[in-house]
Amino acid sequence: MNRQNSPNQPPSSQASDAAESKGKVLIVDDIPITLRMLSNMLKKRGYQAINAVSGEVALNQVNLELPDVILLDIMMPDMSGYEVCQQLKSNPKTADIPIIFLTAVTDLPEKIQAFQMGGDDYVTKPFYIEEVILRIEHQLTLKRQQKQLNYLNQQLRQSNEELAQFAYVVSHELQSPLQTMIGMIGLISAKSQRFDRKTQKYLNYIAKASDRMHHLISDLLTYSRIEHIDPELELVDCQEILAQVLHNLPGAIAETGAVISLGDPSLNPQSQSTILPKVMGNAVQLEQVFQNLIENAIKFARPNIPPQIQITCQADANGELIFSIHDNGIGIDPANFELIFQVFQRIETVKNYPGTGLGLSICKKIIERHGGKIWVESELGCGSTFYFTLPAASNSS
Ligand code: ADP
């Protein structure tokens, strides 16, 4: 009996057929005496042994019942062990069965070929049965661990999907009652002169808190939407995106005196494009990335030092485009380089620098969904450079 785990049950910590035997071993060898000897010794040690005198018989046998491991002779007439191995490994039903080659040949090229054909291990004839047992046990352990790992991976993927779905539904559902609350607070605040000072102060707190909640929920919704909805990719002109972002931020730019320029004056002008290129991507999402990074570059300025922001784009040796957004702001301690890309992680207080702690995690998710990477280089007090990569239009189309 070949017991199979249902996808919703953890794999057994024992090999299949554990109740009856330590494992089912198919031995394939054209020499009957070797077959008998191996088979007897394995049975004595508690394994179920199945014999096959040729490659063809072995393939038929595997079709009837799947063994846990196969001991496969290389040199056989009609069909060599390599051919049998190739056929088994190219069939998804049998590809995961570990194959240990039995070989009389001790020279290296044969062993290399055994692995190239998809073999998992080999033993050299004449063999010691203890060595054969150890190698079988090793393969069975690996197989069990792999099965458990696959199961845990599947569970993890499922939980992640459920969690993302949950965040999406919650943030979506919270929006409407929150809008009503914000509307009502607005109406009450319009009549605030009727209230005493204390009540006006409390109203102000409520208005601020609901405004923050609105930002949090809308960022959370954006974040879970990226996971939830596949972006439609199109040819996107990053120059136009940048123009749109600058158009979206006139208040922040004017208030801080920020200067935003294209190109890094310290770099060779030949190696950088002053006009941002076109890429295959989702325009709405890429606008979000540029906007979040530029908003941060403006927001995390040092006191009384107007933000100087340089945006560059260079192609690397693989044709991948590397964008950078450099600022002269407060900088980031290298210890926090990874932390800031995680959801709700912030270093500064909301009082000093307002925000939700979701902007960079949104950028990371978008860039990764576009097949790129995002990272930061920075020195505290000296400014930061955020980098992200995107495949060039011709590579990604
Ligand atoms: P938010 O800006 O809403 O706080 P982000 O996810 O965009 O959230 O950023 C996370 C944290 O990373 C910020 O709170 C800040 O501590 C740090 N950070 C991001 N961009 C910069 C920057 N340009 N300069 C300095 N610190 C930054």
Side-chain angles (χ1 to χ4, degrees), residues 219 292-293 296-301 327 329-332 340-342 344-348 353-362 378 383-384 386:
D219 277 4
N292 285 354
L293 294 178
N296 278 350
I298 297 174
K299 181 166 71 177
F300 294 103
D327 66 57
I330 58 173
I332 301 161
I340 55 172
F341 290 98
Q342 292 171 18
F344 296 125
Q345 295 296 337
R346 329 186 62 242
I347 305 159
E348 309 305 325
Y353 296 93
T356 60
L358 275 163
L360 288 179
S361 21
I362 290 173
S378 180
S384 311
F386 281 84

PDB file of all heavy atoms in Angstrom, residues 219 292-293 296-301 327 329-332 340-342 344-348 353-362 378 383-384 386, ligand 1:
ATOM      1  N   ASP A 219      -3.362  53.779   2.719  1.00  0.00           N
ATOM      2  CA  ASP A 219      -2.063  53.175   2.381  1.00  0.00           C
ATOM      3  C   ASP A 219      -2.127  51.657   2.478  1.00  0.00           C
ATOM      4  O   ASP A 219      -1.549  50.945   1.661  1.00  0.00           O
ATOM      5  CB  ASP A 219      -0.965  53.702   3.315  1.00  0.00           C
ATOM      6  CG  ASP A 219      -0.419  55.041   2.833  1.00  0.00           C
ATOM      7  OD1 ASP A 219      -0.952  55.566   1.833  1.00  0.00           O
ATOM      8  OD2 ASP A 219       0.523  55.568   3.460  1.00  0.00           O
ATOM      9  N   ASN A 292       6.353  58.427  -3.763  1.00  0.00           N
ATOM     10  CA  ASN A 292       6.722  58.099  -2.373  1.00  0.00           C
ATOM     11  C   ASN A 292       8.170  58.471  -2.100  1.00  0.00           C
ATOM     12  O   ASN A 292       8.493  59.049  -1.058  1.00  0.00           O
ATOM     13  CB  ASN A 292       6.549  56.594  -2.104  1.00  0.00           C
ATOM     14  CG  ASN A 292       5.084  56.206  -1.950  1.00  0.00           C
ATOM     15  OD1 ASN A 292       4.216  57.066  -1.934  1.00  0.00           O
ATOM     16  ND2 ASN A 292       4.811  54.924  -1.841  1.00  0.00           N
ATOM     17  N   LEU A 293       9.068  58.127  -3.043  1.00  0.00           N
ATOM     18  CA  LEU A 293      10.495  58.371  -2.797  1.00  0.00           C
ATOM     19  C   LEU A 293      10.805  59.874  -2.806  1.00  0.00           C
ATOM     20  O   LEU A 293      11.578  60.361  -1.976  1.00  0.00           O
ATOM     21  CB  LEU A 293      11.354  57.632  -3.829  1.00  0.00           C
ATOM     22  CG  LEU A 293      11.280  56.092  -3.750  1.00  0.00           C
ATOM     23  CD1 LEU A 293      12.121  55.450  -4.850  1.00  0.00           C
ATOM     24  CD2 LEU A 293      11.737  55.577  -2.391  1.00  0.00           C
ATOM     25  N   ASN A 296       9.389  61.477   0.358  1.00  0.00           N
ATOM     26  CA  ASN A 296      10.272  61.199   1.501  1.00  0.00           C
ATOM     27  C   ASN A 296      11.508  62.079   1.459  1.00  0.00           C
ATOM     28  O   ASN A 296      11.960  62.600   2.478  1.00  0.00           O
ATOM     29  CB  ASN A 296      10.705  59.727   1.508  1.00  0.00           C
ATOM     30  CG  ASN A 296       9.643  58.828   2.119  1.00  0.00           C
ATOM     31  OD1 ASN A 296       8.673  59.308   2.694  1.00  0.00           O
ATOM     32  ND2 ASN A 296       9.821  57.521   1.996  1.00  0.00           N
ATOM     33  N   ALA A 297      12.077  62.222   0.230  1.00  0.00           N
ATOM     34  CA  ALA A 297      13.296  63.027   0.091  1.00  0.00           C
ATOM     35  C   ALA A 297      13.032  64.478   0.513  1.00  0.00           C
ATOM     36  O   ALA A 297      13.903  65.152   1.070  1.00  0.00           O
ATOM     37  CB  ALA A 297      13.795  62.963  -1.348  1.00  0.00           C
ATOM     38  N   ILE A 298      11.807  64.938   0.266  1.00  0.00           N
ATOM     39  CA  ILE A 298      11.452  66.309   0.682  1.00  0.00           C
ATOM     40  C   ILE A 298      11.170  66.333   2.189  1.00  0.00           C
ATOM     41  O   ILE A 298      11.647  67.195   2.924  1.00  0.00           O
ATOM     42  CB  ILE A 298      10.211  66.810  -0.098  1.00  0.00           C
ATOM     43  CG1 ILE A 298      10.512  66.888  -1.600  1.00  0.00           C
ATOM     44  CG2 ILE A 298       9.734  68.168   0.438  1.00  0.00           C
ATOM     45  CD1 ILE A 298       9.306  67.230  -2.468  1.00  0.00           C
ATOM     46  N   LYS A 299      10.408  65.321   2.629  1.00  0.00           N
ATOM     47  CA  LYS A 299       9.944  65.309   4.027  1.00  0.00           C
ATOM     48  C   LYS A 299      11.083  65.152   5.039  1.00  0.00           C
ATOM     49  O   LYS A 299      11.116  65.839   6.055  1.00  0.00           O
ATOM     50  CB  LYS A 299       8.943  64.155   4.190  1.00  0.00           C
ATOM     51  CG  LYS A 299       8.357  64.009   5.563  1.00  0.00           C
ATOM     52  CD  LYS A 299       7.148  63.097   5.576  1.00  0.00           C
ATOM     53  CE  LYS A 299       7.486  61.638   5.361  1.00  0.00           C
ATOM     54  NZ  LYS A 299       6.327  60.758   5.434  1.00  0.00           N
ATOM     55  N   PHE A 300      12.045  64.255   4.727  1.00  0.00           N
ATOM     56  CA  PHE A 300      13.091  63.977   5.722  1.00  0.00           C
ATOM     57  C   PHE A 300      14.291  64.904   5.533  1.00  0.00           C
ATOM     58  O   PHE A 300      15.445  64.470   5.535  1.00  0.00           O
ATOM     59  CB  PHE A 300      13.480  62.500   5.682  1.00  0.00           C
ATOM     60  CG  PHE A 300      12.354  61.600   6.116  1.00  0.00           C
ATOM     61  CD1 PHE A 300      11.600  60.889   5.197  1.00  0.00           C
ATOM     62  CD2 PHE A 300      12.012  61.503   7.462  1.00  0.00           C
ATOM     63  CE1 PHE A 300      10.547  60.079   5.602  1.00  0.00           C
ATOM     64  CE2 PHE A 300      10.947  60.705   7.878  1.00  0.00           C
ATOM     65  CZ  PHE A 300      10.215  59.996   6.946  1.00  0.00           C
ATOM     66  N   ALA A 301      13.988  66.186   5.356  1.00  0.00           N
ATOM     67  CA  ALA A 301      15.050  67.195   5.194  1.00  0.00           C
ATOM     68  C   ALA A 301      15.611  67.557   6.563  1.00  0.00           C
ATOM     69  O   ALA A 301      14.938  67.412   7.582  1.00  0.00           O
ATOM     70  CB  ALA A 301      14.462  68.427   4.520  1.00  0.00           C
ATOM     71  N   ASP A 327      19.061  62.489  -1.836  1.00  0.00           N
ATOM     72  CA  ASP A 327      18.690  63.723  -1.119  1.00  0.00           C
ATOM     73  C   ASP A 327      19.793  64.129  -0.155  1.00  0.00           C
ATOM     74  O   ASP A 327      20.734  63.369   0.099  1.00  0.00           O
ATOM     75  CB  ASP A 327      17.347  63.547  -0.397  1.00  0.00           C
ATOM     76  CG  ASP A 327      17.401  62.525   0.720  1.00  0.00           C
ATOM     77  OD1 ASP A 327      18.229  62.673   1.630  1.00  0.00           O
ATOM     78  OD2 ASP A 327      16.608  61.541   0.673  1.00  0.00           O
ATOM     79  N   GLY A 329      19.113  65.006   3.002  1.00  0.00           N
ATOM     80  CA  GLY A 329      18.336  65.092   4.238  1.00  0.00           C
ATOM     81  C   GLY A 329      19.009  64.504   5.457  1.00  0.00           C
ATOM     82  O   GLY A 329      20.243  64.410   5.519  1.00  0.00           O
ATOM     83  N   ILE A 330      18.171  64.041   6.405  1.00  0.00           N
ATOM     84  CA  ILE A 330      18.684  63.623   7.721  1.00  0.00           C
ATOM     85  C   ILE A 330      19.479  62.314   7.667  1.00  0.00           C
ATOM     86  O   ILE A 330      20.207  61.995   8.591  1.00  0.00           O
ATOM     87  CB  ILE A 330      17.525  63.466   8.745  1.00  0.00           C
ATOM     88  CG1 ILE A 330      16.484  62.445   8.238  1.00  0.00           C
ATOM     89  CG2 ILE A 330      16.880  64.803   9.051  1.00  0.00           C
ATOM     90  CD1 ILE A 330      15.410  62.104   9.260  1.00  0.00           C
ATOM     91  N   GLY A 331      19.323  61.542   6.597  1.00  0.00           N
ATOM     92  CA  GLY A 331      20.059  60.279   6.471  1.00  0.00           C
ATOM     93  C   GLY A 331      19.458  59.169   7.334  1.00  0.00           C
ATOM     94  O   GLY A 331      18.536  59.401   8.130  1.00  0.00           O
ATOM     95  N   ILE A 332      19.984  57.963   7.137  1.00  0.00           N
ATOM     96  CA  ILE A 332      19.451  56.781   7.831  1.00  0.00           C
ATOM     97  C   ILE A 332      20.624  55.967   8.363  1.00  0.00           C
ATOM     98  O   ILE A 332      21.614  55.755   7.649  1.00  0.00           O
ATOM     99  CB  ILE A 332      18.626  55.905   6.853  1.00  0.00           C
ATOM    100  CG1 ILE A 332      17.474  56.721   6.257  1.00  0.00           C
ATOM    101  CG2 ILE A 332      18.083  54.646   7.527  1.00  0.00           C
ATOM    102  CD1 ILE A 332      16.893  56.131   4.986  1.00  0.00           C
ATOM    103  N   ILE A 340      13.358  49.690   7.295  1.00  0.00           N
ATOM    104  CA  ILE A 340      12.465  50.724   6.769  1.00  0.00           C
ATOM    105  C   ILE A 340      11.614  50.249   5.589  1.00  0.00           C
ATOM    106  O   ILE A 340      10.626  50.886   5.253  1.00  0.00           O
ATOM    107  CB  ILE A 340      13.230  52.019   6.365  1.00  0.00           C
ATOM    108  CG1 ILE A 340      14.346  51.678   5.377  1.00  0.00           C
ATOM    109  CG2 ILE A 340      13.754  52.733   7.592  1.00  0.00           C
ATOM    110  CD1 ILE A 340      15.007  52.920   4.791  1.00  0.00           C
ATOM    111  N   PHE A 341      11.980  49.100   4.975  1.00  0.00           N
ATOM    112  CA  PHE A 341      11.167  48.583   3.868  1.00  0.00           C
ATOM    113  C   PHE A 341      10.055  47.653   4.365  1.00  0.00           C
ATOM    114  O   PHE A 341       9.317  47.096   3.580  1.00  0.00           O
ATOM    115  CB  PHE A 341      12.051  47.843   2.849  1.00  0.00           C
ATOM    116  CG  PHE A 341      12.943  48.775   2.075  1.00  0.00           C
ATOM    117  CD1 PHE A 341      14.261  48.978   2.437  1.00  0.00           C
ATOM    118  CD2 PHE A 341      12.437  49.484   0.988  1.00  0.00           C
ATOM    119  CE1 PHE A 341      15.069  49.857   1.735  1.00  0.00           C
ATOM    120  CE2 PHE A 341      13.229  50.354   0.265  1.00  0.00           C
ATOM    121  CZ  PHE A 341      14.556  50.549   0.641  1.00  0.00           C
ATOM    122  N   GLN A 342       9.988  47.476   5.697  1.00  0.00           N
ATOM    123  CA  GLN A 342       8.932  46.607   6.242  1.00  0.00           C
ATOM    124  C   GLN A 342       7.705  47.438   6.610  1.00  0.00           C
ATOM    125  O   GLN A 342       7.837  48.614   6.962  1.00  0.00           O
ATOM    126  CB  GLN A 342       9.436  45.877   7.486  1.00  0.00           C
ATOM    127  CG  GLN A 342      10.524  44.861   7.156  1.00  0.00           C
ATOM    128  CD  GLN A 342      11.168  44.291   8.402  1.00  0.00           C
ATOM    129  OE1 GLN A 342      10.622  44.385   9.486  1.00  0.00           O
ATOM    130  NE2 GLN A 342      12.337  43.714   8.234  1.00  0.00           N
ATOM    131  N   PHE A 344       4.793  49.358   8.281  1.00  0.00           N
ATOM    132  CA  PHE A 344       4.610  50.136   9.510  1.00  0.00           C
ATOM    133  C   PHE A 344       5.914  50.421  10.273  1.00  0.00           C
ATOM    134  O   PHE A 344       5.875  50.773  11.438  1.00  0.00           O
ATOM    135  CB  PHE A 344       3.620  49.449  10.467  1.00  0.00           C
ATOM    136  CG  PHE A 344       2.232  49.338   9.905  1.00  0.00           C
ATOM    137  CD1 PHE A 344       1.596  48.108   9.819  1.00  0.00           C
ATOM    138  CD2 PHE A 344       1.549  50.456   9.454  1.00  0.00           C
ATOM    139  CE1 PHE A 344       0.316  47.992   9.286  1.00  0.00           C
ATOM    140  CE2 PHE A 344       0.278  50.359   8.920  1.00  0.00           C
ATOM    141  CZ  PHE A 344      -0.340  49.125   8.831  1.00  0.00           C
ATOM    142  N   GLN A 345       7.061  50.239   9.621  1.00  0.00           N
ATOM    143  CA  GLN A 345       8.327  50.500  10.327  1.00  0.00           C
ATOM    144  C   GLN A 345       8.792  51.911  10.007  1.00  0.00           C
ATOM    145  O   GLN A 345       8.945  52.270   8.849  1.00  0.00           O
ATOM    146  CB  GLN A 345       9.402  49.488   9.907  1.00  0.00           C
ATOM    147  CG  GLN A 345       9.093  48.072  10.308  1.00  0.00           C
ATOM    148  CD  GLN A 345       9.047  47.859  11.811  1.00  0.00           C
ATOM    149  OE1 GLN A 345       9.639  48.630  12.580  1.00  0.00           O
ATOM    150  NE2 GLN A 345       8.324  46.850  12.243  1.00  0.00           N
ATOM    151  N   ARG A 346       8.975  52.689  11.065  1.00  0.00           N
ATOM    152  CA  ARG A 346       9.456  54.055  10.900  1.00  0.00           C
ATOM    153  C   ARG A 346      10.537  54.297  11.938  1.00  0.00           C
ATOM    154  O   ARG A 346      10.522  53.674  12.997  1.00  0.00           O
ATOM    155  CB  ARG A 346       8.362  55.106  11.119  1.00  0.00           C
ATOM    156  CG  ARG A 346       6.985  54.713  10.772  1.00  0.00           C
ATOM    157  CD  ARG A 346       6.009  55.882  10.882  1.00  0.00           C
ATOM    158  NE  ARG A 346       6.333  56.958   9.972  1.00  0.00           N
ATOM    159  CZ  ARG A 346       6.655  58.187  10.363  1.00  0.00           C
ATOM    160  NH1 ARG A 346       6.700  58.482  11.643  1.00  0.00           N
ATOM    161  NH2 ARG A 346       6.942  59.122   9.485  1.00  0.00           N
ATOM    162  N   ILE A 347      11.430  55.235  11.668  1.00  0.00           N
ATOM    163  CA  ILE A 347      12.479  55.529  12.639  1.00  0.00           C
ATOM    164  C   ILE A 347      12.145  56.828  13.362  1.00  0.00           C
ATOM    165  O   ILE A 347      12.335  56.960  14.559  1.00  0.00           O
ATOM    166  CB  ILE A 347      13.847  55.654  11.931  1.00  0.00           C
ATOM    167  CG1 ILE A 347      14.102  54.379  11.131  1.00  0.00           C
ATOM    168  CG2 ILE A 347      14.963  55.863  12.922  1.00  0.00           C
ATOM    169  CD1 ILE A 347      15.104  54.553  10.047  1.00  0.00           C
ATOM    170  N   GLU A 348      11.610  57.753  12.591  1.00  0.00           N
ATOM    171  CA  GLU A 348      11.302  59.061  13.182  1.00  0.00           C
ATOM    172  C   GLU A 348       9.904  59.031  13.807  1.00  0.00           C
ATOM    173  O   GLU A 348       9.075  58.208  13.453  1.00  0.00           O
ATOM    174  CB  GLU A 348      11.339  60.143  12.100  1.00  0.00           C
ATOM    175  CG  GLU A 348      12.593  60.145  11.258  1.00  0.00           C
ATOM    176  CD  GLU A 348      13.857  60.236  12.079  1.00  0.00           C
ATOM    177  OE1 GLU A 348      13.823  60.920  13.126  1.00  0.00           O
ATOM    178  OE2 GLU A 348      14.859  59.617  11.715  1.00  0.00           O
ATOM    179  N   TYR A 353       7.960  63.901  11.932  1.00  0.00           N
ATOM    180  CA  TYR A 353       7.821  63.640  10.492  1.00  0.00           C
ATOM    181  C   TYR A 353       6.572  62.787  10.279  1.00  0.00           C
ATOM    182  O   TYR A 353       6.626  61.573  10.495  1.00  0.00           O
ATOM    183  CB  TYR A 353       9.050  62.885   9.962  1.00  0.00           C
ATOM    184  CG  TYR A 353      10.334  63.657  10.040  1.00  0.00           C
ATOM    185  CD1 TYR A 353      11.173  63.523  11.144  1.00  0.00           C
ATOM    186  CD2 TYR A 353      10.712  64.527   9.020  1.00  0.00           C
ATOM    187  CE1 TYR A 353      12.358  64.236  11.233  1.00  0.00           C
ATOM    188  CE2 TYR A 353      11.894  65.244   9.104  1.00  0.00           C
ATOM    189  CZ  TYR A 353      12.709  65.099  10.209  1.00  0.00           C
ATOM    190  OH  TYR A 353      13.881  65.798  10.293  1.00  0.00           O
ATOM    191  N   PRO A 354       5.462  63.376   9.871  1.00  0.00           N
ATOM    192  CA  PRO A 354       4.236  62.583   9.733  1.00  0.00           C
ATOM    193  C   PRO A 354       4.374  61.494   8.661  1.00  0.00           C
ATOM    194  O   PRO A 354       5.167  61.628   7.730  1.00  0.00           O
ATOM    195  CB  PRO A 354       3.181  63.615   9.311  1.00  0.00           C
ATOM    196  CG  PRO A 354       3.950  64.785   8.822  1.00  0.00           C
ATOM    197  CD  PRO A 354       5.285  64.766   9.486  1.00  0.00           C
ATOM    198  N   GLY A 355       3.623  60.427   8.834  1.00  0.00           N
ATOM    199  CA  GLY A 355       3.676  59.337   7.849  1.00  0.00           C
ATOM    200  C   GLY A 355       3.076  58.073   8.425  1.00  0.00           C
ATOM    201  O   GLY A 355       2.792  57.997   9.630  1.00  0.00           O
ATOM    202  N   THR A 356       2.889  57.089   7.566  1.00  0.00           N
ATOM    203  CA  THR A 356       2.245  55.843   8.003  1.00  0.00           C
ATOM    204  C   THR A 356       3.228  54.685   8.122  1.00  0.00           C
ATOM    205  O   THR A 356       2.889  53.637   8.663  1.00  0.00           O
ATOM    206  CB  THR A 356       1.166  55.429   6.981  1.00  0.00           C
ATOM    207  OG1 THR A 356       1.789  55.241   5.716  1.00  0.00           O
ATOM    208  CG2 THR A 356       0.066  56.455   6.867  1.00  0.00           C
ATOM    209  N   GLY A 357       4.430  54.851   7.589  1.00  0.00           N
ATOM    210  CA  GLY A 357       5.387  53.737   7.622  1.00  0.00           C
ATOM    211  C   GLY A 357       5.071  52.675   6.578  1.00  0.00           C
ATOM    212  O   GLY A 357       5.558  51.554   6.664  1.00  0.00           O
ATOM    213  N   LEU A 358       4.267  53.047   5.587  1.00  0.00           N
ATOM    214  CA  LEU A 358       3.910  52.066   4.552  1.00  0.00           C
ATOM    215  C   LEU A 358       4.494  52.416   3.176  1.00  0.00           C
ATOM    216  O   LEU A 358       4.504  51.589   2.269  1.00  0.00           O
ATOM    217  CB  LEU A 358       2.386  51.959   4.436  1.00  0.00           C
ATOM    218  CG  LEU A 358       1.734  50.990   5.422  1.00  0.00           C
ATOM    219  CD1 LEU A 358       0.247  51.259   5.533  1.00  0.00           C
ATOM    220  CD2 LEU A 358       1.957  49.555   5.001  1.00  0.00           C
ATOM    221  N   GLY A 359       4.962  53.678   3.037  1.00  0.00           N
ATOM    222  CA  GLY A 359       5.402  54.153   1.713  1.00  0.00           C
ATOM    223  C   GLY A 359       6.474  53.279   1.080  1.00  0.00           C
ATOM    224  O   GLY A 359       6.359  52.869  -0.075  1.00  0.00           O
ATOM    225  N   LEU A 360       7.523  52.956   1.874  1.00  0.00           N
ATOM    226  CA  LEU A 360       8.621  52.176   1.290  1.00  0.00           C
ATOM    227  C   LEU A 360       8.230  50.720   1.065  1.00  0.00           C
ATOM    228  O   LEU A 360       8.709  50.092   0.124  1.00  0.00           O
ATOM    229  CB  LEU A 360       9.870  52.255   2.193  1.00  0.00           C
ATOM    230  CG  LEU A 360      10.597  53.597   2.196  1.00  0.00           C
ATOM    231  CD1 LEU A 360      11.794  53.564   3.137  1.00  0.00           C
ATOM    232  CD2 LEU A 360      11.056  53.977   0.792  1.00  0.00           C
ATOM    233  N   SER A 361       7.340  50.190   1.931  1.00  0.00           N
ATOM    234  CA  SER A 361       6.921  48.791   1.688  1.00  0.00           C
ATOM    235  C   SER A 361       6.073  48.721   0.426  1.00  0.00           C
ATOM    236  O   SER A 361       6.124  47.733  -0.311  1.00  0.00           O
ATOM    237  CB  SER A 361       6.199  48.172   2.882  1.00  0.00           C
ATOM    238  OG  SER A 361       5.689  49.128   3.734  1.00  0.00           O
ATOM    239  N   ILE A 362       5.306  49.778   0.155  1.00  0.00           N
ATOM    240  CA  ILE A 362       4.535  49.825  -1.102  1.00  0.00           C
ATOM    241  C   ILE A 362       5.515  49.858  -2.283  1.00  0.00           C
ATOM    242  O   ILE A 362       5.370  49.105  -3.244  1.00  0.00           O
ATOM    243  CB  ILE A 362       3.591  51.058  -1.110  1.00  0.00           C
ATOM    244  CG1 ILE A 362       2.456  50.854  -0.090  1.00  0.00           C
ATOM    245  CG2 ILE A 362       3.027  51.318  -2.510  1.00  0.00           C
ATOM    246  CD1 ILE A 362       1.557  52.054   0.125  1.00  0.00           C
ATOM    247  N   SER A 378      23.033  55.251   2.650  1.00  0.00           N
ATOM    248  CA  SER A 378      22.834  56.503   3.375  1.00  0.00           C
ATOM    249  C   SER A 378      23.845  56.633   4.504  1.00  0.00           C
ATOM    250  O   SER A 378      24.453  55.657   4.937  1.00  0.00           O
ATOM    251  CB  SER A 378      21.415  56.518   3.953  1.00  0.00           C
ATOM    252  OG  SER A 378      21.189  57.694   4.657  1.00  0.00           O
ATOM    253  N   GLY A 383      22.399  62.633   4.229  1.00  0.00           N
ATOM    254  CA  GLY A 383      21.510  62.380   3.084  1.00  0.00           C
ATOM    255  C   GLY A 383      21.431  60.898   2.727  1.00  0.00           C
ATOM    256  O   GLY A 383      22.178  60.074   3.258  1.00  0.00           O
ATOM    257  N   SER A 384      20.512  60.602   1.833  1.00  0.00           N
ATOM    258  CA  SER A 384      20.258  59.196   1.456  1.00  0.00           C
ATOM    259  C   SER A 384      20.115  59.094  -0.053  1.00  0.00           C
ATOM    260  O   SER A 384      19.723  60.054  -0.718  1.00  0.00           O
ATOM    261  CB  SER A 384      18.939  58.701   2.057  1.00  0.00           C
ATOM    262  OG  SER A 384      18.872  59.009   3.419  1.00  0.00           O
ATOM    263  N   PHE A 386      18.134  56.411  -2.569  1.00  0.00           N
ATOM    264  CA  PHE A 386      17.308  55.220  -2.777  1.00  0.00           C
ATOM    265  C   PHE A 386      17.503  54.771  -4.223  1.00  0.00           C
ATOM    266  O   PHE A 386      17.434  55.593  -5.142  1.00  0.00           O
ATOM    267  CB  PHE A 386      15.831  55.522  -2.507  1.00  0.00           C
ATOM    268  CG  PHE A 386      15.527  55.536  -1.020  1.00  0.00           C
ATOM    269  CD1 PHE A 386      15.745  56.670  -0.265  1.00  0.00           C
ATOM    270  CD2 PHE A 386      15.065  54.387  -0.384  1.00  0.00           C
ATOM    271  CE1 PHE A 386      15.503  56.675   1.097  1.00  0.00           C
ATOM    272  CE2 PHE A 386      14.813  54.379   0.975  1.00  0.00           C
ATOM    273  CZ  PHE A 386      15.035  55.523   1.720  1.00  0.00           C
TER     274      PHE A 386
HETATM  275  P1  ADP B   1       6.720  57.122   6.130  1.00  0.00           P
HETATM  276  O1  ADP B   1       7.426  58.071   5.219  1.00  0.00           O
HETATM  277  O2  ADP B   1       5.264  57.202   6.033  1.00  0.00           O
HETATM  278  O3  ADP B   1       7.234  57.168   7.525  1.00  0.00           O
HETATM  279  P2  ADP B   1       8.083  55.091   4.617  1.00  0.00           P
HETATM  280  O4  ADP B   1       7.810  53.634   4.533  1.00  0.00           O
HETATM  281  O5  ADP B   1       8.055  55.871   3.373  1.00  0.00           O
HETATM  282  O6  ADP B   1       7.065  55.620   5.665  1.00  0.00           O
HETATM  283  O7  ADP B   1       9.511  55.275   5.284  1.00  0.00           O
HETATM  284  C1  ADP B   1       9.844  54.493   6.417  1.00  0.00           C
HETATM  285  C2  ADP B   1      10.891  55.211   7.219  1.00  0.00           C
HETATM  286  O8  ADP B   1      12.127  55.250   6.495  1.00  0.00           O
HETATM  287  C3  ADP B   1      10.585  56.659   7.500  1.00  0.00           C
HETATM  288  O9  ADP B   1       9.732  56.808   8.607  1.00  0.00           O
HETATM  289  C4  ADP B   1      11.976  57.229   7.774  1.00  0.00           C
HETATM  290  O10 ADP B   1      12.377  56.913   9.076  1.00  0.00           O
HETATM  291  C5  ADP B   1      12.837  56.440   6.798  1.00  0.00           C
HETATM  292  N1  ADP B   1      13.050  57.173   5.534  1.00  0.00           N
HETATM  293  C6  ADP B   1      12.428  56.982   4.358  1.00  0.00           C
HETATM  294  N2  ADP B   1      12.898  57.800   3.402  1.00  0.00           N
HETATM  295  C7  ADP B   1      13.844  58.545   3.981  1.00  0.00           C
HETATM  296  C8  ADP B   1      14.733  59.568   3.515  1.00  0.00           C
HETATM  297  N3  ADP B   1      14.728  60.007   2.248  1.00  0.00           N
HETATM  298  N4  ADP B   1      15.594  60.101   4.419  1.00  0.00           N
HETATM  299  C9  ADP B   1      15.619  59.679   5.695  1.00  0.00           C
HETATM  300  N5  ADP B   1      14.824  58.715   6.194  1.00  0.00           N
HETATM  301  C10 ADP B   1      13.948  58.153   5.342  1.00  0.00           C
END
